[in-house]
Amino acid sequence: MFQRLCIHVIQRLRPVHAHLYLQPGMEDCSDDMDGPVEDIGSRSCVTRFVKTLLSIMEHGVKPHSKHLTEYFAFLYEFAKMGEEESQFLLSLQAISTMVHFYMGTKGPENPQVEVLSEEEGEEEEEEEDILSLAEEKYRPAALEKMIALIALLVEQSRSERHLTLSQNDMAALTGGKGFPFLFQHIRDGINIRQTCNLIFSLCRYNNRLAEHIVSMLFTSIAKLTPEAANPFFKLLTMLMEFAGGPPGMPPFASYILQRIWEVIEYNPSQCLDWLAVQTPRNKLAHSWVLQNMENWVERFLLAHNYPRVRTSAAYLLVSLIPSNSFRQMFRSTRSLHIPTRDLPLSPDTTVVLHQVYNVLLGLLSRAKLYVDAAVHGTTKLVPYFSFMTYCLISKTEKLMFSTYFMDLWNLFQPKLSEPAIATNHNKQALLSFWYNVCVDCPENVRLIVQNPVVTKNIAFNYILADHDDQDVVLFNRGMLPAYYGILRLCCEQSPAFTRQLASHQNIQWAFKNLTPHASQYPGAVEELFNLMQLFVAQRPDMREEEIEDIKQFKKTTISCYLRCLDGRSCWTTLISAFRILLESDEDRLLVVFNRGLILMTESFNTLHMMYHEATACHVTGDLVELLSIFLSVLKSTRPYLQRKDVKQALIQWQERIEFAHKLLTLLNSYSPPELRNACIDVLKELVLLSPHDFLHTLVPFLQHNHCTYHHSNIPRGKSNIRPPRPELNMCLLPTMVEASKVQWSQGHTGCRHSPSGHSYSERIQSPAHGAYVHVDGNLCGQHISKKHGYCRGKDDVYDRMLLDYFFSYHQFIHLLCRVAINCEKFTETLVKMSVLVAYEGLPLHLALFPKLWTELCQTQSAMSKNCVKLLCEDPVFAEYIKCILMDERTFLNNNIVYTFLTHFLLKVQGQVFSEANCANLINTLITNLINQYQSLESDFSNQRVEISKASSTLNGDLRALALLLSVHTPKQLNSALIPTLQELLNKCRACQQQRNSLQEQEAKERKTKDDEGATPVKRRRVSSDEEHTVDIGDIKAEPREALTPTSTSDNETRDSSIIDPGTEQDPPSPESSSVKEYRMEVPSSFSEDIMLAARSQHTEEQPGNGKFEECKEFKDLQTSKDSMGAEEDSEFPSTSISAVLSDLADLRSCDGQALPSQDPETNLSISCGHSRGLFSHMQQHDILDILCRTIESTIHVVTRISGKGNQAAS
């Protein structure tokens, strides 16, 4: 504050006292300006005050002098007031006073002091004598204004081309050896910016002085430590940045660049870093460094012993490229394997890059001088190759390398490849550059494969596989991907090199010692498996000996893996290798013969444990892959089951039963669909390979689980709680049905949910198996679909999810039954399980169970008769039929199901309904039919979207009524039934006519378009509410394969004489009445079904029931009608799933041949059409035809029954 007060007072006095500042003292009363210096300024109080302040410096630093900041700030502000003030200070020789004060002298009589001697030791001694500021913490900040004041006074003393400083002031600033004042305060780092201005002022029009000062700066840099030299480099930067300015300024940039090479030997890292900063900013510096590359690149980038110097040289090379993005990306690059890609450079920048890159390529021949590890270490070439790799921004740079290829090879072989050095980073950097220069450049790869010397020796490369040494692991992780990547590129271009490399011992060593450690060397292992893929690839033009070489390679490698791999820990390697190597049955049998099944089982056990216990391990993909390999290996044994070695190998696989049980524990709601389907596919293969073993063990296990669940009376409401122990949790609980539907209808914004309401991200704590639709613990209770309001067809997406979830499991149970039939092991336990699973899956409307038992019922073998008897005695079967007739009548639209009931309803009618209940149900159906008709819109033909749904419901109810009338004749029928049916028939026929007219109109329109040049397409429109057509052939012939929505397995179509590896004899073959002979034609109308039912009743010879005669009369009345519609109805296709699974009956004839697969999405959509219990509205005309014939038949039957009733009453 006092300083500002003094300045304020002086500013107020200046107008009066300014002219007195330079006048002599008032004592001599004269105006002579030549008086002594001591008298100058004596006439003004201001000047006397300033002189008093200046006198303080003559006595050195005192304790009260610590506030030098305010002191020099006052003098600096005073000098800036005007020319009078600055001239007054110059006349008092204030510059020399301040210099001597700073240098520690007492007066101007000893102005020249040496502070920079030739010897560094002397310099440090005199430095201690010179500096007298006691408190270091006050010196730098306190003297900032002093340097600014000196610079201001020097500039104010200029008169055109000369400085008017006194001799004392000039000597204080520039006198002494080595400019002691400049050296000292630069070293102290005091106000470097003002120091630069001071040098500019001193050296203007004085080039000689400028050269001496620059020389002093570099001499100081050469003798000081890097830390002490930092202020000098900062000053050099400021001098270099000066451009333009007043005339007479010396060329400091030229002086500095000429001297920089002289001191670079003393402080190379700092000099190179300083040049790296200057070259992008200063064109002269850039040109200078670029033109002198031959003088410094090899010396500092390759030959220098200090890594920091080599790194600084690399950064200087980067700074030469005039592109900010190029420089910045290099500084952020941390990996040798990420070269610059797609970096846009201007033409001028590219020219500079190529100039630098060419110089570096030219040094490849000299680089071998620095690879001797004993002399130069193992890292000298890392910055060199790192920068060259970074220069590969396009194919042009890669092609520039081609002429230097042999220099690189001679550098690698033998001096880098052969020495037994664990971590040779020079080799790592070289291989990285070599790999990147070959990527996308077949010309450089060709240089390798066309050179016999290179191809002979490139596979010899010392690699230490010490998996416990972290340094070695990290080194190999960086070096091996580049090395094996080069080999892969060569194999991709040269088949001859591929065959040569495949037989090399080092490749087998790599497969054995590196691929089992995929977690430590992920990049290298990936490249090795890429090589393996190339080794086994076959071309059409291959010679016989080349194919034999491939077979030998696969045999050797498979045997190596089977010997060295630990299945409990190396499942990743096992999966990756077998996925590549197991291409033929011969390869897969080699695995079987060498205990490969045991090895894979160990891997599966580990993954199974991790899947259930280690929640952080994501091994689902590995499990699916492993099971896929399991499936292919097991399938390969099928054609060779008669061979003793195959049978013996399967017998030795003693873990197969435990393996199958663990597969079952993965069939739950916590497993994703791809895992469940993979498990089921393998289970099917196991059952077909060893039917006796697995029928004996799996069937009781499955039956026990299903029964346990149904009788455990699990309380509802807790279905979403994670089970505390292994239990069945794949079942469709009643509470889960609605919960899942709510979750799905709300948009399923979270993770995907299974039909049971569990998200796939949830995990059970222990293995559990469950694959059944839950009905309340009491089997005789109401069915799930009725009791809990679940109705098929209301939500297509949800129906599809349910079908996708359960279909493959029901297929597996169906396969167990088919295999048991062929083996004649259809036990009572399996019969009970079959009907129980069918009962659970009734809401899915699967026709597997009805198809199987319809076919079995039609054969006359003793086994089939016994099985049918066991089935009819099971109370669950009666409940199954009851649920169809009461709750799932739309299921009857499936002809297979309808035919099934015509065979079995008469057999179990007493268990299903009492006389009263049957009569009540018939009356209820009639009432519902009348109500449904009355609820229809008046113009039914225009409700095209609803036609299919309404027709299916009506047709199902009519078929149920027909079935019930076949077993029970009511005393009286509702009188409104026949008129209602007549009116309904008229409406259906009107709808048919309208549909036919629309089709004719569309046909005419298509014909008109065809005549105009459009491409004719043989299609017909089958849906009036959707704007698309369906091929006629697609409707008549549905696909018969696609066993599961996500699998194209043909497991069900097998030879009936399957060898059980657990026994020494073949299973008995079925009788002549094989399963294939069970197949039957589906009846067209319900009257034919009644006829078949009556025939079945007559065959079973169940007297005491007078319904057979009635049914025969129905048949006689309907013969003419049915014969008219039979041909048309024969075109009515069965449901998609029944069509798909009809081939399951051909276990004897198919002989294991796979049927053509179908697209999974197509299969899923077709299956979902069946899941609604009817065909989609695309087949609307077919369901209408069926409905019309069913109504006609019903009218005749009801008329007949009504007539009999009237006769009895009369």
Side-chain angles (χ1 to χ4, degrees), residues 5-76:
L5 176 62
C6 294
I7 292 297
H8 178 69
V9 172
I10 293 173
Q11 287 175 339
R12 299 294 298 271
L13 294 176
R14 190 175 188 280
V16 179
H17 287 259
H19 67 283
L20 301 176
Y21 288 171
L22 298 176
Q23 293 184 9
M26 298 175 62
E27 292 82 3
D28 52 7
C29 296
S30 67
D31 294 333
D32 186 5
M33 299 297 295
D34 297 327
V37 175
E38 289 79 3
D39 295 335
I40 296 177
S42 300
R43 296 183 179 181
S44 171
C45 61
V46 174
T47 52
R48 289 197 300 271
F49 176 71
V50 172
K51 288 175 66 175
T52 302
L53 287 177
L54 288 174
S55 66
I56 294 176
M57 286 189 288
E58 298 177 358
H59 305 291
V61 179
K62 302 295 182 181
H64 63 272
S65 300
K66 64 180 180 178
H67 300 292
L68 292 177
T69 302
E70 291 78 6
Y71 176 76
F72 287 111
F74 168 78
L75 294 176
Y76 182 58

Side-chain angles (χ1 to χ4, degrees), residues 21 98 119 132 157 164 212 247 253 522 624 710 784 791 827 834 895 941 943 1083 1088 1185 1195 1203:
Y21 288 171
M98 288 184 286
E119 297 297 327
S132 58
S157 69
T164 59
H212 286 308
V624 174
H710 281 289
I784 177 175
C791 182
T827 61
S834 173
N895 288 341
S941 60
Q943 304 297 321
E1088 292 184 37
D1185 294 341
I1195 291 174

Side-chain angles (χ1 to χ4, degrees), residues 58-223:
E58 298 177 358
H59 305 291
V61 179
K62 302 295 182 181
H64 63 272
S65 300
K66 64 180 180 178
H67 300 292
L68 292 177
T69 302
E70 291 78 6
Y71 176 76
F72 287 111
F74 168 78
L75 294 176
Y76 182 58
E77 293 296 328
F78 176 74
K80 290 196 301 181
M81 286 184 179
E83 185 178 355
E84 293 85 356
E85 286 81 0
S86 59
Q87 289 299 326
F88 170 69
L89 292 176
L90 287 171
S91 66
L92 294 180
Q93 299 183 7
I95 292 177
S96 57
T97 301
M98 288 184 286
V99 170
H100 294 315
F101 166 74
Y102 175 70
M103 300 299 290
T105 58
K106 296 182 180 180
E109 63 273 10
N110 193 14
Q112 299 187 12
V113 180
E114 287 190 17
V115 297
L116 188 62
S117 63
E118 296 295 331
E119 297 297 327
E120 193 173 40
E122 267 186 299
E123 171 200 324
E124 293 180 357
E125 267 183 34
E126 298 200 11
E127 178 186 337
E128 293 177 0
D129 295 335
I130 295 168
L131 297 180
S132 58
L133 285 178
E135 300 188 39
E136 187 74 20
K137 62 181 179 179
Y138 300 115
R139 185 178 61 193
L143 302 180
E144 293 281 339
K145 296 295 184 181
M146 184 190 76
I147 303 300
L149 175 58
I150 293 175
L152 176 63
L153 292 178
V154 170
E155 186 58 32
Q156 290 293 331
S157 69
R158 177 168 300 284
S159 175
E160 295 183 357
R161 299 173 64 93
H162 303 286
L163 295 175
T164 59
L165 292 174
S166 66
Q167 291 184 359
N168 288 339
D169 287 349
M170 183 61 76
L173 292 173
T174 62
K177 185 176 181 180
F179 306 101
F181 171 70
L182 292 175
F183 165 80
Q184 191 63 51
H185 82 262
I186 292 172
R187 182 178 182 181
D188 291 340
I190 303 173
N191 204 338
I192 301 300
R193 172 56 63 187
Q194 289 298 333
T195 301
C196 181
N197 292 335
L198 174 60
I199 292 175
F200 285 151
S201 298
L202 290 173
C203 297
R204 189 177 173 190
Y205 297 108
N206 192 344
N207 291 355
R208 181 181 177 83
L209 179 60
E211 290 184 27
H212 286 308
I213 291 178
V214 169
S215 178
M216 179 271 293
L217 294 177
F218 282 110
T219 303
S220 303
I221 289 173
K223 293 193 175 184

Side-chain angles (χ1 to χ4, degrees), residues 519-575:
S519 60
Q520 292 180 304
Y521 316 110
V525 171
E526 181 182 359
E527 289 290 359
L528 283 169
F529 282 127
N530 290 337
L531 281 171
M532 184 185 293
Q533 189 75 53
L534 294 171
F535 293 157
V536 302
Q538 296 189 16
R539 306 184 316 278
D541 58 341
M542 269 190 168
R543 301 188 306 272
E544 188 66 29
E545 55 268 24
E546 290 179 319
I547 297 177
E548 288 300 321
D549 289 343
I550 292 177
K551 292 182 179 179
Q552 184 60 38
F553 168 78
K554 290 196 291 185
K555 182 177 180 180
T556 303
T557 309
I558 292 173
S559 301
C560 173
Y561 277 130
L562 293 176
R563 287 194 308 270
C564 72
L565 285 183
D566 182 0
R568 294 167 296 181
S569 60
C570 298
W571 67 85
T572 304
T573 303
L574 182 75
I575 292 170

Side-chain angles (χ1 to χ4, degrees), residues 1107-1210:
K1107 299 178 181 60
F1108 171 71
E1109 289 79 10
E1110 296 174 357
C1111 295
K1112 186 174 182 181
E1113 292 176 1
F1114 299 159
K1115 179 195 69 175
D1116 295 335
L1117 289 171
Q1118 300 301 325
T1119 300
S1120 59
K1121 285 277 186 181
D1122 295 340
S1123 62
M1124 295 170 59
E1127 182 178 355
E1128 180 182 357
D1129 188 55
S1130 64
E1131 294 182 2
F1132 183 74
S1134 61
T1135 62
S1136 60
I1137 293 179
S1138 63
V1140 170
L1141 294 178
S1142 64
D1143 291 324
L1144 288 176
D1146 302 336
L1147 290 173
R1148 289 184 66 237
S1149 62
C1150 292
D1151 197 20
Q1153 297 179 359
L1155 296 176
S1157 62
Q1158 180 75 14
D1159 183 80
E1161 294 183 3
T1162 306
N1163 296 330
L1164 185 58
S1165 62
I1166 293 174
S1167 299
C1168 290
H1170 168 6
S1171 70
R1172 293 189 296 269
L1174 63 151
F1175 299 106
S1176 66
H1177 48 268
M1178 290 173 57
Q1179 297 165 322
Q1180 167 185 316
H1181 60 289
D1182 292 324
I1183 194 67
L1184 280 175
D1185 294 341
I1186 292 295
L1187 179 59
C1188 288
R1189 289 198 299 273
T1190 304
I1191 295 173
E1192 292 173 354
S1193 301
T1194 307
I1195 291 174
H1196 284 283
V1197 172
V1198 173
T1199 302
R1200 186 71 170 175
I1201 293 177
S1202 299
K1204 282 191 173 184
N1206 293 333
Q1207 293 176 5
S1210 62

Side-chain angles (χ1 to χ4, degrees), residues 5 111 189 258 410 555 622 994 1014 1129:
L5 176 62
Q258 289 172 2
N410 293 330
K555 182 177 180 180
D622 292 335
Q994 183 177 5
D1129 188 55

Side-chain angles (χ1 to χ4, degrees), residues 1094-1107:
R1095 185 181 301 122
S1096 175
Q1097 177 79 357
H1098 178 71
T1099 303
E1100 293 294 330
E1101 297 180 359
Q1102 297 179 356
N1105 197 335
K1107 299 178 181 60

